[in-house]
Amino acid sequence: MQRRRIQAQSRRSERGTALAELAIGALVFFIAVFGILELGRLLWTHNALTDAARRGARYASMNSQNTTKVKNLVVYGNANGGTQPVVYNLTTNNVSVTYSGFGVKQGTVTVQITGYQFVLNVPLIGATITLPAYKTTLMGESAGYVPATI
């Protein structure tokens, strides 16, 4: 009889422990899931910024020296501009275009994306990371040169 009383008292003293364990385990699990999702989003953003700088340099090397169109192409994916940037929070202020000795098949053009702020959306953390500069340099190709028709 006494053994049953001890077992009953021990079960009562353990009430709620499963709920506490679930709360701790769920917190760790969801932070890990959000961290993995944010890492994937960070890698996607890194790849998109690298590609945007490359596309901008390619456009600039084949067209005349119009930095506004190059910046629009980098930010919006369209040389004429747009409303939605290819990467959230990217502006034309983050893009710099530098021509050096540029002409028909000579000189270089450099497109650089600097100061981009990546915002983490992980609950309880909410930090901002400044990504490194994305820089692409290409040689001048046609430089907007259109040969006369024969």
Side-chain angles (χ1 to χ4, degrees):
M1 187 72 157
Q2 192 165 359
R3 183 182 286 179
R4 285 186 187 176
R5 245 188 259 156
I6 293 172
Q7 286 176 347
Q9 286 175 350
S10 125
R11 274 190 238 131
R12 275 187 245 138
S13 66
E14 291 183 12
R15 282 186 176 169
T17 57
L19 182 62
E21 289 172 3
L22 176 68
I24 292 169
L27 179 67
V28 170
F29 173 75
F30 284 117
I31 287 177
V33 166
F34 278 111
I36 291 169
L37 290 173
E38 285 301 298
L39 181 63
R41 200 169 66 85
L42 175 65
L43 290 174
W44 181 89
T45 302
H46 167 74
N47 194 27
L49 290 173
T50 302
D51 187 56
R54 183 192 58 80
R55 286 176 186 240
R58 179 76 175 146
Y59 180 83
S61 73
M62 296 182 63
N63 294 289
S64 60
Q65 299 182 24
N66 188 340
T67 59
T68 303
K69 285 192 172 196
V70 174
K71 287 182 178 186
N72 283 338
L73 183 75
V74 170
V75 174
Y76 302 109
N78 184 351
N80 296 322
T83 57
Q84 196 71 12
V86 292
V87 177
Y88 173 75
N89 209 20
L90 180 64
T91 65
T92 55
N93 294 332
N94 297 108
V95 181
S96 66
V97 181
T98 308
Y99 291 94
S100 176
F102 199 70
V104 178
K105 297 186 180 186
Q106 65 181 0
T108 60
V109 61
T110 301
V111 175
Q112 188 169 8
I113 300 172
T114 56
Y116 180 78
Q117 300 285 321
F118 181 81
V119 180
L120 288 170
N121 292 327
V122 177
L124 305 175
I125 296 176
T128 301
I129 300 171
T130 302
L131 295 182
Y134 297 90
K135 180 178 176 182
T136 302
T137 302
L138 291 176
M139 294 186 64
E141 290 184 16
S142 68
Y145 175 73
V146 179
T149 57
I150 301 174

